[in-house]
Structures are given as structure tokens and as C-alpha cells.
């Protein structure tokens, strides 16, 4: 009898952790495991704001998939998923087709521009290694051109960040570290540089602890960031953005050389386009993390939505939950193959830490509030813990942030 085929789509947090855990839960005889990803590398989305600002090189955020997974146990296919044919258990790839008995959809997130005019063409989004690298290059080009291009304007040195959620605030934290270096490198008066954050809500970090959010705002303002709160980005143009204050009719224009949109994320479009029933584009998974329409299909990470028991709002899309859910999926796959009952997923939130550059951060860890250097150190511990779970001590030594070597 042929072995059941397990196919995992996407090598982000959810896909990589599912793959690595499956090779531990199952023996080579139990199943044939295939991982499909559009790049030959896995990147850490949670470090991309650093690569985008240029405070770390993008190679620090990524690793070759073949160096992390057990290639004797897992077939890695580098290809781009186009659609899923649930009826016939097939996945269409850009360069072929693959069939499965069990599927794990882990295709991650896309930037959500909410149909705001011009954002797709005139703003950048922090979404992948490619987009982060482009942002870093673009900002550096604007600074490099300032003293050499006769048409350069002061507003070329303005950076607008759309949204002050966790991604926006973490990116601002990196920018305030990076801009002084760029000014020095390109002989630019730092007073000419503006970093403007536009946030629709009356405060930064809307869902976060208020005391910590105020700490972050004050820290960033102290480093020169201007916050425009209660203000919405209405349009992005080649010259910058048009914004509107709440309860005002007027549009204000902010001229800027760089606009980075961190105003929200949505699920990868492929599950919904392939006919899966979705809740705002996400597969609302069952207690054991399967599609309610098809018990051969699991969904993990930002393509899945999980509601806490008796809650109206789902858990937010985070790497933390993707990693924990992936571990549950690997265990459940083993249970299914052995004919046992599956386990319900129980999320164990450990807290949230947001970096504000290299040496500052805010966070709540196991209900304990932290700021400053201890919080910054905690953030690095969290980053390295993931590497430890994925590839053990060798990966921490190679890619970790605590500079153990
Ligand atoms: P992803 O990490 O998005 O991975 C999806 C994978 O699928 C990628 O490798 C992609 O290349 C691949 N893929 C996509 N489409 C295709 C296709 N068609 N064919 C083949 N492959 C494809 N969460 C936290 O818990 N802590 C944090 O500190 C944190 N920081 C963040 C910082 C930033 C700047 C951002 C943007 C997000 C942050 N998040 C954080 C959220 C977290 O990154 C996401 O929740 C997490 O990445 C979701 O993991 P995932 O595996 O679902 O998807
Ligand atoms: P988000 O949806 O959490 O925040 C987007 C922000 O943009 C909100 O504050 C919103 O009010 C604002 N906004 C939306 N439309 C706007 C407009 N037109 N004009 C001005 N402001 C507008 O998105 P995110 O920050 O990218 O976070 C995505 C997910 O990733 C979340 O689940 C978050 O928890 C997670 N994340 C976690 C961390 C961490 O744990 N350190 C870091 C980054 C992201």
C-alpha cells in the first residue's frame, strides 16, 4: 500500500513548524511529506521591519529551507501555488501539479490596502524579503540622491508610515535608529528629515496596554517622529499622501519621498479563490484546526482564523499562534494516521513584545509589563526561542540575536 501523501503549502512560521514537527511525530514509513514554497528560503516575517529600515541585512532574516528541514524525509518543491482543487485533492503550481491525501495550507498574509486609492502603486508594504529589501534600497536612494540630484527636494527625505499598529510602531523604532546613520553617510542635516506616522485611531497601538503604548509614543516622539492621530490616509500619490482628520472635510497633503503602508493585513487570497468557505478571507478552522468542509485539509497561521471559546473576536494573526497551531497539527496528523481521536487546539498566549529599535522595547510577558533594555532583551530571547524550536542550537548560533558566538 502506498504511503499517505501530506502536502504543506507555504514555508512561513506555520508551514515550517508543521514540517519540522511532522518529521519528529511520524516515521519515514508513516507518510510522504512534501513542502511547497515559492522561494528556496524561509524568512522570519517578524524581523522584516528591521530589514526594511536597513538596521539588519535581509540575509539575517532568512535561511535556506534545505538547511533546516530533514531533506531525507521531506521533498521540497520550490514553486508558486496557484489554486487548490479540493474535489480532486490536487494543487496547481506555476510549473506543475501535486496531489495530496492531507493538505496543510500555510500561505500566510498579504497587505490589506482596503481599496485606498494609490496605495498599491505609490506605497510600499513590509510583507516579504523582497518588499523589505526594496524599502531599504528606496530610502537609501532618496538619501543618496539628495546632495547629487539638482531636482532633489527636502520632502524627498520625508518618510510617511501609514498606521501605528505593532508593525508600524516597530518600523518607526528601526527608522529612528537608522536615519542618523544615513544622515551621516550622505552628509544630510538631520533636521531636514521628517518621519510622519498617520494613524486613524486617537492613539498609537490601539489594541495594546495604554501605559506601554504611551511609553512607545513618547519615546518615538523624543526621537523626532511626528504622529498624526485621528487621521486617515485617503490616497497615496507619487508625491506623498492625502490625509483627512476625523470629523473634517478637508484633505491635507503630506509630500514624501517614501510611503510605507502598515495599515493592516489579510489572508492570502488562494483559499478563498479556490472555493473554500471563508470568514473575511480566512478559513475558520474547527477545534482540531481543520477546514469545516473538508477533514483532509488543515489551515494554519494567517490563512486561518480561530475564535477563543465563547468569544466574539478571533485571536489576532501572529507568528506566536501559527507556531503553536503547527505543533498541534503535527500531533493531529499522527493521530489521524493511527486512527486515534484528534486533540483540540488550546492557545497558550505568552504575551507580546514590540521592539522600538535595537535597545528599546515595550511588552507584556505573562502579564508582566516591561519597557526599555529588559524588554529589548526579552524580544531577542523570543526571536531566538523560535530558532531553537526550528533548528536547535546550531540555528541559534548561526542566526540568533543574542550574539552567543
Ligand atoms: P507567513 O509568515 O506569511 O509565511 C507564508 C509563506 O508562504 C511565505 O514563505 C511565503 O513566501 C509563502 N507563500 C505565499 N504565497 C505563496 C504561493 N502562492 N506559493 C508558494 N508559497 C507561497 N507576530 C508575532 O507573533 N510576533 C511578532 O513579533 C511579529 N512581528 C511582526 C512584524 C511585522 C513587520 C509583520 C508584518 C508581522 C509580524 N507578526 C508578528 C505577525 C506574523 O509575522 C504573522 O502572523 C506570521 O508571519 C504568519 O505566519 P504564516 O506562517 O501564516 O505566514
Ligand atoms: P494592525 O491591523 O494591527 O494595525 C494597523 C493600524 O493601521 C491600526 O492601528 C489601524 O487603526 C491603522 N489604520 C488602518 N487604516 C488606516 C488608514 N486609512 N489611515 C491611518 N491608519 C490606518 O496591523 P499590523 O500592525 O500590521 O499587525 C498585523 C498583525 O501582526 C497583528 O495581529 C499584530 O498583532 C501582529 N504583529 C505583532 C507584532 C509583535 O508581536 N511584536 C509586531 C507586528 C505585527
Amino acid at each position: 500500500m502506498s504511503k499517505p501523501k501530506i502536502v504543506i503549502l507555504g514555508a512561513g512560521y506555520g508551514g515550517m513548524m508543521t514540517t519540522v514537527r511532522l518529521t519528529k511525530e511520524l516515521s519515514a514509513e508513516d507518510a510522504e511529506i512534501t513542502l511547497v514554497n515559492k522561494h528556496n528560503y524561509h524568512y522570519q516575517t517578524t524581523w522584516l521591519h528591521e530589514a526594511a529600515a536597513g538596521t539588519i541585512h535581509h540575509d539575517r532574516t532568512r535561511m535556506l529551507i534545505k538547511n533546516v528541514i530533514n531533506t531525507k524525509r521531506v521533498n521540497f518543491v520550490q514553486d508558486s501555488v496557484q489554486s487548490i482543487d479540493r474535489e480532486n485533492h490536487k494543487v496547481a503550481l506555476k510549473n506543475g501539479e501535486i496531489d495530496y491525501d492531507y493538505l496543510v495550507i500555510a500561505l500566510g498574509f498579504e497587505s490589506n490596502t482596503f481599496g485606498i486609492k494609490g496605495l498599491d502603486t505609490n506605497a510600499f508594504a513590509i510583507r516579504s524579503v523582497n518588499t523589505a529589501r526594496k524599502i531599504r534600497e528606496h530610502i537609501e536612494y532618496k538619501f543618496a540622491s539628495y546632495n547629487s540630484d539638482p531636482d532633489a527636494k527636502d520632502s524627498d527625505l520625508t518618510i510617511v508610515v501609514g498606521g501605528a499598529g505593532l508593525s508600524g510602531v516597530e518600523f518607526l523604532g528601526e527608522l529612528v535608529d537608522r536615519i542618523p546613520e544615513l544622515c551621516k553617510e550622505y552628509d544630510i542635516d538631520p533636521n531636514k528629515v521628517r518621519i510622519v506616522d498617520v494613524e486613524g485611531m486617537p492613539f498609537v497601538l490601539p489594541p495594546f496596554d495604554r501605559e506601554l503604548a504611551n511609553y512607545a509614543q513618547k519615546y518615538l516622539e523624543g526621537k523626532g517622529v511626528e504622529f498624526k492621530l485621528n487621521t486617515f490616509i485617503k490616497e497615496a500619490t507619487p508625491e506623498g499622501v492625502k490625509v483627512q482628520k476625523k470629523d473634517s472635510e478637508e484633505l491635507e497633503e503630506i509630500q514624501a519621498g517614501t510611503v510605507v503602508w502598515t495599515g493592516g493585513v489579510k489572508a492570502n487570497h488562494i483559499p478563498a479563490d479556490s472555493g473554500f468557505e471563508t470568514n473575511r478571507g480566512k478559513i475558520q478552522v474547527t477545534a482540531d484546526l481543520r477546514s469545516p468542509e473538508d477533514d483532509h485539509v488543515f489551515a494554519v497561521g494567517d490563512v486561518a482564523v480561530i475564535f477563543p471559546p465563547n468569544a466574539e473576536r478571533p485571536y489576532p494573526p501572529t507568528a506566536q499562534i501559527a507556531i503553536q497551531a503547527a505543533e498541534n497539527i503535527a500531533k493531529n496528523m499522527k493521530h489521524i494516521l493511527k486512527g486515534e481521536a484528534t486533540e483540540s487546539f488550546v492557545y497558550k498566549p505568552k504575551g507580546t513584545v514590540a521592539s522600538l529599535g535595537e535597545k528599546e522595547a515595550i511588552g507584556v510577558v505573562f502579564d508582566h509589563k516591561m519597557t526599555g533594555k529588559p524588554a529589548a532583551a526579552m524580544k531577542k530571547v523570543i526571536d531566538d526561542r523560535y530558532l531553537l524550536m526550528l533548528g536547535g542550537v546550531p540555528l541559534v548560533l548561526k542566526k540568533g540575536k543574542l550574539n552567543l558566538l
Side-chain angles (χ1 to χ4, degrees), residues 15 80 88:
S80 183
N88 297 304

Side-chain angles (χ1 to χ4, degrees), residues 231-362:
T231 306
F232 291 88
I233 292 194
K234 289 291 180 184
E235 186 179 344
T237 68
E239 286 75 42
V241 287
K242 290 183 182 166
V243 303
Q244 190 172 34
K245 219 169 161 53
K246 193 167 171 251
D247 302 328
S248 160
E249 297 286 296
E250 277 172 42
L251 282 181
E252 183 199 339
E253 189 177 354
I254 307 172
Q255 294 203 348
T258 308
V259 179
V260 178
W261 174 247
T262 62
V265 294
K266 61 182 178 187
N268 185 300
H269 66 280
I270 289 174
D273 286 0
S274 302
F276 280 91
E277 198 178 293
T278 56
N279 177 342
R280 296 186 184 189
K282 298 182 178 205
I283 298 176
Q284 190 171 332
V285 288
T286 55
D288 62 1
L289 306 178
R290 286 188 271 184
S291 155
E293 303 166 281
D294 188 337
D295 60 10
H296 288 80
V297 177
F298 289 85
V300 62
D302 286 11
V303 291
V305 64
I306 303 172
F307 283 77
N310 308 318
E312 278 178 18
R313 289 175 67 86
Y315 290 123
T318 65
Q320 186 182 165
I321 197 163
I323 294 163
Q324 290 186 30
E327 293 181 288
N328 184 275
I329 288 175
K331 278 190 205 151
N332 280 342
M333 198 72 84
K334 180 179 175 180
H335 289 315
I336 291 168
L337 296 183
K338 296 204 177 305
E340 300 163 356
T342 56
E343 294 173 38
S344 292
F345 174 61
V346 182
Y347 177 46
K348 297 190 185 91
K350 295 188 166 58
T352 301
V353 181
S355 60
L356 300 168
E358 164 75 12
K359 297 197 171 83
E360 266 290 345
I362 51 167

